[in-house]
Amino acid sequence: MQLVADKFYIWFNRIAAVLGGILFVLAVASWTLPALSVLKAEWGFTPITGVLGLFQVMYALIFFNHRRNLWIAGLLSAMILTLNIVGLIHGSGDLHSWFLILWAIQVLASGMFGSYALIGCGFMMTLYFVLATTGPAIHSLSDPLAIGAVLGTYILSVISYLVWNHLYAEAEGNRLNQLAGQLKGNQQQSAILIQSITDGIIVTDTESRISLLNPAAAKMTGWPVEDATGIAVRQVAKLAQEDGKELATTLHPFDQVLKDNQQYSDVLQIKDREGKKVSVVSLVISPIVLPKSNQTIGTVAVLRDVSASRDEEHRRADFISTASHEMRTPVAAIEGYLALALNEKVSKIDMKARDFLVKAHESSQRLGTLFQDLLTSAKAEDGRLVSHPVATEMGEYLEQLTDGLRFAAEKKGLLMDFTVGTGQQAKAGGGKIIKPLYYAQIDPDRMREVITNLFDNAVKYTESGKISIGLTGNNDLIQLYIRDTGHGIPSEDLPHLFQKFYRVDNSSTRTIGGTGLGLFICRKIVELYNGRVWAESEINKGSTFYINLPRLSTQKVAELQTTASQSTV
């Protein structure tokens, strides 16, 4: 039971250590110096006094500072000092000893350790006074000095406890008042900040009922703050997918966070109370977890209205799509006419003019590629990218694809290999190689764009060595990889590789042309099939691009193939 701040226990221990040191020195002097033998005879400095004094000093210097609970550490220090004082009292006249004054001071100081410590000290000293200092117990009860010592001990104990308890209560009250003032100030500041935030803030409890709603969230939902408080959040925050369709999961996002105890993040539609106003919001919901008990006590959500930015993106995508579509025709015409001009059967030109026409033809081809990439990226962003996924055996598919890609690598003097599984397939009877079958639901034409793009990049940025294409997987996933031995990609660029128009800025990329859209389109196509694409690389050691796709079970493949055959009939 702690009644004071830790600093008082520290100071008590220091004073006890000083007293212990003095008693140790006097005890040693009384037993080694004849001139000070009076200390031994009249003041009770025995060898035990010296040992206890030395132990008091050693405890204070060595053991006290290593204890986490200073209340217990201080109490042990007080017990050692009490034993020493009792020894001095016993050796210097018992109840007539002047060390009773030191004992009284010790009792007054012991109040800082609480009522239990005082009761224990009082009981032990009473037992000593009654049994040890005045003879047999039957006679000690009639000794006025013993009775006075016992009563004095308990009276001092009560006074000590009341004084220290009052000091503690006053200090604790001041501290609590200070903390309450700080908390009130912090709450007011938090309330002002929450009310001022332009993003919507919704806080719910463990039953998904709203406990806090700021004005921005009230504006988005169409619910006044006072009406929404205490209402189930699913009634206030009417959410749907960005395109207006129902959410894929049966659980409301707030309920999902409470169930999984994981953060939720998505771009969704939210309707107001009347269902007239629809906003597109970036929604992030996080569980509120107590730090010590790790208990979830609710959720907090941040809603940012992104309707305006989404409209701007759609307008920009529409412009890029329209402009790219319209400019493809004249660029294709220019490219065609230049190809005719370079055809010796159609026209006769000198070598100097031919060089100019070749450069113009190459530039028109790059321009055509740029417009095609812009058009594809615009379609990928707004969901207009055409895809016809079918169950495809990826091993056979990649083997056929790599046969066509091999020429580009060999033309540059690069080696190329293709591996299915671990690369150490077992042989069945007759020497046949058993290859695992990896089925995925993809559009072969779209996936060809992805693999060709990644392969072309590997060839372009690899001066020597080889390009490796591999396929592996487990029961749930299929993993494709394309590995090169090129320059490598800096680690700071890896997180941004698949962003729109992003290109690594180094000496190798400056000499090689590109639109910065290829990897962005690859990511969008892979995401159509619930896949993931990423890269790992080390400078001067090459790069590896990975594609993860969900693997289809044999039963699922059979069902899809049956459905496809029935639809063609």
Side-chain angles (χ1 to χ4, degrees):
M1 182 176 63
Q2 184 170 346
L3 288 181
V4 294
D6 287 340
K7 65 178 181 180
F8 288 99
Y9 301 130
I10 295 174
W11 275 107
F12 179 87
N13 179 71
R14 291 174 179 174
I15 294 172
V18 172
L19 288 175
I22 293 173
L23 295 177
F24 170 72
V25 172
L26 293 177
V28 172
S30 66
W31 285 86
T32 57
L33 300 176
L36 296 178
S37 60
V38 67
L39 295 175
K40 176 175 60 177
E42 299 181 7
W43 291 89
F45 284 97
T46 64
I48 297 177
T49 303
V51 172
L52 289 175
L54 179 61
F55 184 70
Q56 184 91 56
V57 175
M58 293 177 61
Y59 175 81
L61 296 178
I62 300 175
F63 301 105
F64 181 85
N65 293 327
H66 294 282
R67 289 191 172 271
R68 295 181 179 179
N69 192 327
L70 293 181
W71 177 78
I72 295 178
L75 182 61
L76 293 175
S77 183
M79 292 175 64
I80 298 172
L81 184 61
T82 299
L83 290 175
N84 219 334
I85 294 174
V86 170
L88 290 172
I89 292 173
H90 181 66
S92 59
D94 293 325
L95 295 179
H96 301 280
S97 172
W98 286 100
F99 287 112
L100 285 174
I101 299 175
L102 188 60
W103 159 247
I105 296 174
Q106 164 75 347
V107 173
L108 287 174
S110 297
M112 70 174 68
F113 301 106
S115 57
Y116 297 112
L118 289 173
I119 292 173
C121 290
F123 175 76
M124 293 300 297
M125 289 304 297
T126 301
L127 187 65
Y128 169 75
F129 285 141
V130 173
L131 300 178
T133 64
T134 59
I138 192 68
H139 301 293
S140 63
L141 296 177
S142 60
D143 191 327
L145 193 57
I147 295 174
V150 171
L151 291 178
T153 297
Y154 280 102
I155 291 172
L156 288 177
S157 298
V158 172
I159 294 174
S160 175
Y161 176 79
L162 293 176
V163 170
W164 285 106
N165 189 49
H166 174 73
L167 292 175
Y168 173 77
E170 183 178 358
E172 189 68 8
N174 293 335
R175 187 178 69 85
L176 292 176
N177 290 333
Q178 184 179 5
L179 290 176
Q182 293 177 353
L183 181 60
K184 184 177 180 180
N186 292 336
Q187 289 177 340
Q188 291 176 347
Q189 291 177 359
S190 300
I192 293 173
L193 288 174
I194 291 175
Q195 300 300 321
S196 303
I197 292 175
T198 56
D199 293 339
I201 304 292
I202 299 178
V203 180
T204 68
D205 57 18
T206 54
E207 297 181 354
S208 293
R209 296 186 179 276
I210 296 176
S211 55
L212 186 147
L213 186 83
N214 75 337
K219 184 178 179 181
M220 294 179 190
T221 58
W223 282 72
V225 174
E226 57 275 8
D227 292 349
T229 304
I231 302 295
V233 69
R234 65 183 65 87
Q235 299 180 15
V236 177
K238 300 176 182 178
L239 301 172
Q241 294 184 17
E242 187 177 359
D243 56 5
K245 297 179 182 178
E246 293 184 2
L247 294 175
T249 177
T250 56
L251 285 178
H252 196 273
F254 284 86
D255 298 327
Q256 190 72 37
V257 171
L258 286 175
K259 177 185 176 183
D260 300 337
N261 203 29
Q262 298 290 331
Q263 187 182 78
Y264 175 92
S265 178
D266 202 355
V267 177
L268 303 172
Q269 274 192 8
I270 186 170
K271 295 181 180 179
D272 64 0
R273 191 173 187 177
E274 304 298 330
K276 296 179 180 179
K277 181 184 177 183
V278 178
S279 303
V280 180
V281 297
S282 172
L283 176 64
V284 179
I285 310 174
S286 302
I288 303 174
V289 181
L290 294 177
K292 292 184 178 180
S293 63
N294 203 28
Q295 178 184 3
T296 300
I297 60 172
T299 64
V300 57
V302 179
L303 300 87
R304 173 168 295 180
D305 193 335
V306 295
S307 302
S309 61
R310 276 293 194 267
D311 290 340
E312 291 178 2
E313 289 178 6
H314 288 317
R315 286 195 295 269
R316 184 165 57 249
D318 289 340
F319 170 76
I320 292 174
S321 178
T322 303
S324 301
H325 182 74
E326 293 297 328
M327 285 188 285
R328 283 176 61 196
T329 302
V331 170
I334 294 171
E335 183 181 347
Y337 285 125
L338 289 172
L340 288 174
L342 289 170
N343 192 335
E344 295 180 355
K345 296 180 179 180
V346 177
S347 63
K348 300 294 183 179
I349 55 176
D350 58 31
M351 293 303 297
K352 188 173 183 180
R354 176 175 291 276
D355 290 340
F356 294 149
L357 289 176
V358 168
K359 292 178 181 178
H361 187 252
E362 292 174 351
S363 297
S364 65
Q365 286 180 321
R366 286 197 296 269
L367 194 58
T369 302
L370 172 61
F371 289 143
Q372 181 61 46
D373 287 347
L374 286 171
L375 185 60
T376 305
S377 65
K379 290 180 178 179
E381 282 186 300
D382 57 19
R384 293 185 293 112
L385 199 61
V386 179
S387 177
H388 302 288
V390 294
T392 305
E393 204 289 295
M394 298 302 296
E396 182 181 356
Y397 170 77
L398 280 177
E399 188 173 4
Q400 295 176 358
L401 186 57
T402 51
D403 286 340
L405 297 174
R406 189 182 303 274
F407 175 74
E410 293 176 348
K411 183 180 178 181
K412 196 175 178 180
L414 302 174
L415 299 176
M416 180 179 172
D417 58 36
F418 171 62
T419 304
V420 177
T422 60
Q424 298 178 350
Q425 296 94 345
K427 290 186 177 182
K432 294 182 179 179
I433 296 178
I434 300 175
K435 294 183 179 180
L437 299 179
Y438 297 106
Y439 278 95
Q441 191 172 18
I442 61 166
D443 184 332
D445 293 331
R446 288 296 180 196
M447 189 55 64
R448 183 181 291 108
E449 293 181 39
V450 175
I451 297 172
T452 301
N453 188 295
L454 296 178
F455 181 82
D456 288 344
N457 284 345
V459 173
K460 283 193 296 184
Y461 296 108
T462 303
E463 298 299 327
S464 61
K466 72 175 182 177
I467 310 295
S468 300
I469 297 180
L471 174 66
T472 184
N474 54 29
N475 292 332
D476 301 318
L477 288 175
I478 295 173
Q479 186 174 93
L480 294 72
Y481 64 83
I482 298 176
R483 182 177 295 120
D484 62 58
T485 56
H487 301 287
I489 303 169
S491 57
E492 61 269 17
D493 290 310
L494 288 174
H496 311 287
L497 277 181
F498 297 91
Q499 294 177 1
K500 198 173 182 180
F501 297 114
Y502 188 86
R503 297 196 70 209
V504 177
D505 185 15
N506 57 34
S507 57
S508 60
T509 58
R510 295 190 193 103
T511 58
I512 299 175
T515 62
L517 291 170
L519 294 180
F520 171 77
I521 294 171
C522 288
R523 176 172 66 86
K524 286 294 184 180
I525 293 175
V526 171
E527 289 174 352
L528 285 176
Y529 314 119
N530 298 318
R532 174 175 171 250
V533 58
W534 77 99
E536 297 178 359
S537 181
E538 289 186 46
I539 297 297
N540 298 324
K541 291 187 178 181
S543 306
T544 304
F545 284 78
Y546 295 93
I547 299 174
N548 277 6
L549 295 170
R551 184 176 183 178
L552 298 179
S553 64
T554 305
Q555 181 181 358
K556 186 65 175 178
V557 171
E559 293 176 359
L560 291 173
Q561 290 176 344
T562 302
T563 304
S565 61
Q566 291 175 351
S567 63
T568 56
V569 175

